[in-house]
Amino acid sequence: MGKLSLLKLMIRDLPSARELVAASREYRRLVIYKLAEALGPEAKRPWHEWGDKEFAHHVYSVLVDFKAAEWKPDGSLELYKLQPPSITNPKVAEWATILDRVLPRLTDALEGRRKYFLDRELLIIYAKFLDNLGYNWWRELAIRLTVPEQDMKNPNLTFVDMGSGIGLSTLSILKFTSANVIAVDPYDDNLEMLRHYVAMSGYKDRVKTFKGYAENFRLDQPVDGAFMINLLHWSDVPSEVIKNARRNVKQGGRVYIFQGILEDKTLRLSFLVPYLLGAPRIGIRRKELYQWIKDAGLQVEQSETLAGELIRAVVP
Amino acid sequence: MQMTMTLKAIKIRCQKCGSEHFVSPSKPGLHLFVCQHCGAQHAMSFDKNLDLRDFRLVEQVDAMPSGFYEISDVEMLPARLKEVFTKLGTTSDERIREAIELAKKLGLFKVTG
């Protein structure tokens, strides 16, 4: 977490800042404990002998970084004995359930045999991962911190939610703004669930759906703003996603990118779940993220580091 | 020592055709009942004592086959669905209908009777 961003949040919203810090600490302990448990005796296998070497190195590295293991000369790990973490925050407790369901797939993933989240067995884990108290809270916090107040209140604006998935990001935008939202996702099943979520939450009249890939969809008319909330690691070509956001937003409009990055220790752990659910990339690096934004010709207006990069950029 | 569990049998009346049925919930929370006679779908909620707290007709285009359904995996219920299901009594029929559709899509219901 960025110290300056956290300080700003403390001034603006002390309870949220406190909760973010405390929950992040508990979350890290939980994930490390569960990850070490899931890897177990397999840690004796050197990382370079696994089918998915990049992922194996990532998993082993985070265990070492969080002092749950140490490297052995052959590239395997010596796991330390960890105490089960005490979890008091309900937002973190929900992650325990998710991890218990997804981590049994760890060795398959290390072998290079991952399934995609649309697989029936994974769909429920995917839904719980996207719709849990902690993630919902973070999305809402990100929107409150980055969307200017006049844009929140303006019912004449239209935003596009790129890679909306089953609609949890869309719901957060709808809750904290008065704008209309076009939700874009390539999968019919996702869009169908999104429509149910939106109707269930009473926002049916403010949402349209559009089937398309974030990299190349094209709306009939450019809109006032685009959101991409933890989308980029789900794309094979994230740079194209950002360029396409620019194409679909009016001049003077804004592009909001809320994205976990690998440099954040907590988020290095968070990438495990989407990767196990089929995301093509283990994570995004800060430097490449800002380079893609620059290459797309967007101008960064605001940037915070709070459990991810929270970026507001303008289309010049 | 052999343990025996007594299930509570609750008499309900279909709110569409009026036929009477018995259901036996094994856990609290949201359940669905689809009438064997007319196929009308009802949402019902039981408290921790398995007393019926809410029972209402929630018809859907794609009704489920007749039977008594419970949430198969309560822990995996997504947060926003859980919120609707736990506040059944104060939630509109439309919201419940949409929440049930979502739970069906996620394969969260299992028939128990």
Side-chain angles (χ1 to χ4, degrees), chain B residues 23-99:
Chain B
V23 294
S24 298
S26 61
K27 57 185 175 190
L30 178 102
H31 289 61
L32 291 185
F33 169 72
V34 183
C35 177
Q36 287 96 325
H37 291 283
C38 69
Q41 183 176 276
H42 305 70
M44 51 209 301
S45 171
F46 297 94
D47 65 18
K48 61 179 188 223
N49 299 316
L50 302 183
D51 289 328
L52 187 60
R53 283 284 159 231
D54 194 56
F55 179 63
R56 65 166 99 176
L57 191 63
V58 183
E59 292 205 88
Q60 284 177 293
V61 179
D62 299 319
M64 294 163 83
S66 62
F68 183 53
Y69 297 84
E70 64 178 24
I71 302 285
S72 58
D73 198 345
V74 176
E75 276 199 324
M76 289 306 283
L77 205 52
R80 289 179 197 268
L81 276 185
K82 199 175 193 171
E83 195 187 327
V84 172
F85 288 163
T86 50
K87 292 179 185 163
L88 203 60
T90 56
T91 308
S92 69
D93 283 357
E94 193 196 347
R95 288 189 70 190
I96 295 170
R97 194 176 297 121
E98 297 294 342

Side-chain angles (χ1 to χ4, degrees), chain A residues 124-176:
Chain A
I124 182 65
I125 306 173
Y126 173 65
K128 181 79 178 175
F129 161 66
L130 293 175
D131 184 4
N132 70 77
L133 295 172
Y135 202 169
N136 291 343
W137 179 80
W138 176 79
R139 281 191 205 97
E140 295 177 1
L141 179 71
I143 290 171
R144 284 194 287 122
L145 291 177
T146 52
V147 180
E149 208 170 327
Q150 70 271 18
D151 285 4
M152 280 191 179
K153 290 178 183 164
N154 189 345
N156 300 318
L157 298 182
T158 300
F159 295 140
V160 59
D161 181 20
M162 298 170 64
S164 58
I166 61 175
L168 280 307
S169 49
T170 314
L171 288 182
S172 301
I173 301 164
L174 290 162
K175 185 174 171 183
F176 284 96

Side-chain angles (χ1 to χ4, degrees), chain A residues 260-316:
Chain A
I261 49 162
L262 284 164
E263 285 80 357
D264 183 306
K265 271 182 89 176
T266 308
L267 296 172
R268 286 185 76 196
L269 299 173
S270 299
F271 283 121
L272 290 169
V273 176
Y275 193 72
L276 290 171
L277 291 173
R281 298 170 67 103
I282 296 171
I284 300 290
R285 298 205 171 276
R286 180 184 279 122
K287 196 176 166 186
E288 59 185 355
L289 173 60
Y290 283 95
Q291 187 61 49
W292 295 331
I293 292 170
K294 194 177 165 192
D295 292 346
L298 296 171
Q299 290 170 358
V300 174
E301 276 187 333
Q302 185 192 350
S303 156
E304 308 287 349
T305 304
L306 282 170
E309 294 296 289
L310 314 182
I311 300 165
R312 185 179 77 214
V314 68
V315 177

Side-chain angles (χ1 to χ4, degrees), chain A residues 29-180:
Chain A
R29 287 184 188 143
L30 173 74
V31 181
I32 284 298
Y33 179 77
K34 297 269 182 195
L35 183 61
E37 193 181 53
L39 189 61
E42 300 288 351
K44 295 197 181 335
R45 191 165 163 183
W47 68 269
H48 49 82
E49 285 184 8
W50 287 104
D52 187 340
K53 293 178 181 52
E54 188 191 359
F55 183 53
H57 194 268
H58 178 82
V59 168
Y60 283 25
S61 299
V62 293
L63 286 166
V64 171
D65 287 352
F66 282 94
K67 301 182 172 42
E70 65 180 30
W71 286 110
K72 289 169 80 173
D74 65 349
S76 65
L77 285 188
E78 180 72 46
L79 288 175
Y80 302 147
K81 191 160 174 54
L82 302 177
Q83 292 299 317
S86 156
I87 305 299
T88 56
N89 187 315
K91 295 185 178 78
V92 179
E94 282 208 300
W95 283 98
T97 311
I98 297 163
L99 293 166
D100 285 343
R101 304 301 169 101
V102 80
L103 282 174
R105 295 163 189 278
L106 180 69
T107 45
D108 265 355
L110 289 167
E111 290 286 19
R113 295 191 303 258
R114 286 183 300 142
K115 286 183 176 174
Y116 201 56
F117 71 91
L118 290 175
D119 179 283
R120 289 303 300 178
E121 298 165 55
L122 289 185
L123 187 60
I124 182 65
I125 306 173
Y126 173 65
K128 181 79 178 175
F129 161 66
L130 293 175
D131 184 4
N132 70 77
L133 295 172
Y135 202 169
N136 291 343
W137 179 80
W138 176 79
R139 281 191 205 97
E140 295 177 1
L141 179 71
I143 290 171
R144 284 194 287 122
L145 291 177
T146 52
V147 180
E149 208 170 327
Q150 70 271 18
D151 285 4
M152 280 191 179
K153 290 178 183 164
N154 189 345
N156 300 318
L157 298 182
T158 300
F159 295 140
V160 59
D161 181 20
M162 298 170 64
S164 58
I166 61 175
L168 280 307
S169 49
T170 314
L171 288 182
S172 301
I173 301 164
L174 290 162
K175 185 174 171 183
F176 284 96
T177 73
S178 305
N180 296 304

